[in-house]
Amino acid sequence: MVRTVLAINGSTRASSSNGHYLHAIERLVGDRAAFVRSPSISDLPHFSPDLDHEDPPASVVHFRQLVLASDVVLICTPEYAMGVVGSLKNALDWLVSSSTLSGKPVMLVTASLNGEKGHAALLETLTVIEALLRPETNVLIPFAKTKVTSDGVITDDPALQAIQNALDVLLAGR
Ligand SMILES: Cc1cc2nc3c(=O)[nH]c(=O)nc-3n(C[C@H](O)[C@H](O)[C@H](O)COP(=O)(O)O)c2cc1C
C-alpha cells in the first residue's frame, strides 16, 4: 500500500514549471497518499566519497531519511544540455552507497523543452541504483512549459492522461 509519495524537483528555479507539474500531481494524488516535498536538492553539498562516511552532512542524512520513509519517489525534472540536471545527478549520487533507492518505486516525469536524452540517461542511472521502474510510470513531456499553468493545472490532454495513468498504476501498488 502506498502511504507516502516523496516529490523531488530536478529544477532549483523559483518559478519552475516542474514545480507547477508537482503542484498538479499533488492535486491528482489527492487523499490517496500523503504528498511530501523534498527540500531543494540545492541544499545538498557536492557529492564526494570523502564526505560519504558514517557521519555524512546533515542535509544528506535528512534526504536519505525522507527517501527511506516514502513508499514512492516522484522525480519531476527538466533536461539540461541534453543530459541530466547536475544538481539532480548529485542528489542521486548521495543515494548510491546507502542503497536508499534500491527496490523503491520511482515515477519519473521529465518536463522539458525536449527532454528525450536527459530522460533516457536518468532512467539508466535509476536502473543501475536498482530503483523499481515501470514503463507506465515514466512520463516524458516535451514543450512542457506550454502544457501547465502556474497554479498547477495540466492543460494538455495526452500529458494529463499519461500522468493520471502513472499515478493509478503506482498508487494501486499493482
Ligand atoms: C542551462 C540550461 C540548459 C538547457 N538545456 C535544455 C536541453 O538540453 N533540453 C531541453 O529540453 N531543455 C533545455 N533547457 C530548457 C529547459 O527545459 C526549460 O528551461 C525548462 O522549463 C526548465 O524547467 P523548469 O521550468 O522547471 O526550471 C535548458 C535550460 C537551461 C537553463
Side-chain angles (χ1 to χ4, degrees):
M1 186 180 173
V2 175
R3 290 190 184 85
T4 305
V5 176
L6 176 68
I8 299 173
N9 191 347
S11 171
T12 56
R13 214 160 62 81
S15 57
S16 152
S17 50
N18 279 274
H20 304 331
Y21 278 96
L22 286 178
H23 186 190
I25 294 171
E26 179 173 15
R27 286 218 296 253
L28 292 169
V29 168
D31 59 7
R32 289 186 284 175
F35 195 87
V36 176
R37 285 177 187 251
S38 166
S40 173
I41 50 176
S42 61
D43 290 357
L44 296 166
H46 289 164
F47 175 77
S48 165
D50 289 342
L51 295 175
D52 191 14
H53 41 57
E54 63 283 352
D55 189 19
S59 57
V60 172
V61 173
H62 183 56
F63 182 58
R64 286 177 178 165
Q65 280 170 347
L66 286 174
V67 174
L68 274 176
S70 66
D71 300 303
V72 165
V73 172
L74 161 66
I75 299 173
C76 200
T77 183
E79 167 187 82
Y80 278 176
M82 300 287 171
V84 180
V85 172
S87 306
L88 179 58
K89 179 63 166 58
N90 183 62
L92 294 177
D93 286 345
W94 277 113
L95 302 179
V96 174
S97 69
S98 54
S99 300
T100 319
L101 263 191
S102 184
K104 183 81 64 184
V106 172
M107 172 170 166
L108 174 60
V109 177
T110 301
S112 202
L113 190 56
N114 177 311
E116 225 169 286
K117 289 198 164 61
H119 190 70
L122 203 41
L123 287 175
E124 281 202 40
T125 297
L126 290 167
T127 299
V128 95
I129 59 180
E130 298 177 332
L132 208 59
L133 298 166
R134 313 170 75 162
E136 313 93 296
T137 64
N138 304 324
V139 181
L140 174 62
I141 307 176
F143 304 107
K145 269 188 186 172
T146 63
K147 300 175 180 173
V148 69
T149 65
S150 59
D151 53 350
V153 176
I154 299 170
T155 53
D156 177 76
D157 269 351
L160 179 61
Q161 274 171 29
I163 284 179
Q164 274 173 333
N165 181 53
L167 290 175
D168 289 346
V169 168
L170 270 176
L171 298 177
R174 293 199 294 260

